[in-house]
């Protein structure tokens, strides 16, 4: 697959040619799930091996979906793909804000579905960006410290520049906005960073 890149990628450290492989989950390592909420929720399923290498195994990317349906989909995917694994769910700290209608948080609602998720310590963009860039920038046993399963097409597109800093029209200079462009690629990229 291919696309025209517009702007500067959030993760220029990512190399799709080097960091993509056919990956199998390791039953001895817990599954870490990163969650991005909103009406375009996304989830990224990964394992951090004792060597420090991160392996992204699966993704869920949705559009125009509320938390109830997303939670049920997430629960079904965990039961189908990772039934006997220890699972840690991590989400956008903004999900700790109470809903104005039902007065519950996203984390409270997931708990009613049997999914115990915790908010990440921070929502600071630089911290999230660096958390994902760090394993991309090192080798572990001669292989990249960050690998993505070939089937995670939406995350791969996000990391390859779909999630980017938008170019600013300034004559004679390459200038970019300070905050990334929120688009259809940003949610799965943010979910990976929360993971």
């Amino acid at each position: 697959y291919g696309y025209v890149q517009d702007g500067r990628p959030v993760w220029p450290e990512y190399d799709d040619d080097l960091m993509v492989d056919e990956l199998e989950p390791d039953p001895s390592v817990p599954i870490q799930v990163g969650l991005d909420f909103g009406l375009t929720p996304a989830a990224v399923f990964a394992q951090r091996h004792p060597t420090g290498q991160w392996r992204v195994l699966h993704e869920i990317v949705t559009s125009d979906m509320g938390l109830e349906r997303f939670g049920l989909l997430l629960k079904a995917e965990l039961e189908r793909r990772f039934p006997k694994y220890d699972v840690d769910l991590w989400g956008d700290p903004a999900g700790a804000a109470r809903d104005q209608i039902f007065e519950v948080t996203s984390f409270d609602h997931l708990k009613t579905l049997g999914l115990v998720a915790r908010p990440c310590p921070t929502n600071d963009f630089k911290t999230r960006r660096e958390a994902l860039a760090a394993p991309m920038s090192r080798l572990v046993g001669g292989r990249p410290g960050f690998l993505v399963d070939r089937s995670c097409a939406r995350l791969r597109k996000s990391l390859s520049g779909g999630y980017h800093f938008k170019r600013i029209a300034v004559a004679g200079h390459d200038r970019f906005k300070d905050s990334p462009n929120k688009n259809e690629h940003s949610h799965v990229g943010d979910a990976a960073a929360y993971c």
Side-chain angles (χ1 to χ4, degrees), residues 112-177:
T112 67
L113 300 173
L115 299 168
V116 179
R118 293 176 286 187
C120 289
T122 183
N123 196 13
D124 176 64
F125 173 74
K126 279 186 163 183
T127 303
R128 288 184 289 128
R129 198 212 85 75
E130 293 305 315
L132 202 50
M136 290 179 187
S137 303
R138 66 176 175 251
L139 293 177
V140 175
R143 298 200 63 205
F146 182 83
L147 293 173
V148 181
D149 189 77
R150 189 168 308 286
S151 67
C152 297
R154 300 288 298 273
L155 177 62
R156 292 171 56 201
K157 193 167 186 176
S158 174
L159 297 174
S160 295
Y163 191 16
H164 60 270
F165 296 95
K166 205 167 195 167
R167 187 179 308 276
I168 300 172
V170 176
H173 300 286
D174 271 347
R175 300 280 309 246
F176 302 93
K177 290 192 172 187

Side-chain angles (χ1 to χ4, degrees), residues 28-93:
S28 67
V29 178
I31 301 291
Q32 305 292 325
V33 182
L35 304 171
D36 189 49
F37 302 117
L39 288 173
T40 51
V44 170
F45 304 72
Q47 290 181 310
R48 184 179 187 273
H49 286 258
T51 61
Q53 183 183 58
W54 279 91
R55 295 180 183 179
V56 177
L57 306 167
H58 185 55
E59 67 182 4
I60 298 175
V61 182
T62 66
S63 178
D64 196 27
M65 182 179 285
L67 189 57
E68 176 73 16
R69 285 192 303 150
F70 178 70
L72 293 171
L73 177 61
L74 175 61
K75 186 173 183 173
E77 285 293 288
L78 285 169
E79 290 170 354
R80 186 172 69 86
R81 289 182 173 266
F82 309 107
K84 297 182 180 177
Y85 287 80
D86 289 333
V87 177
D88 293 319
L89 294 111
W90 299 93
D92 179 352

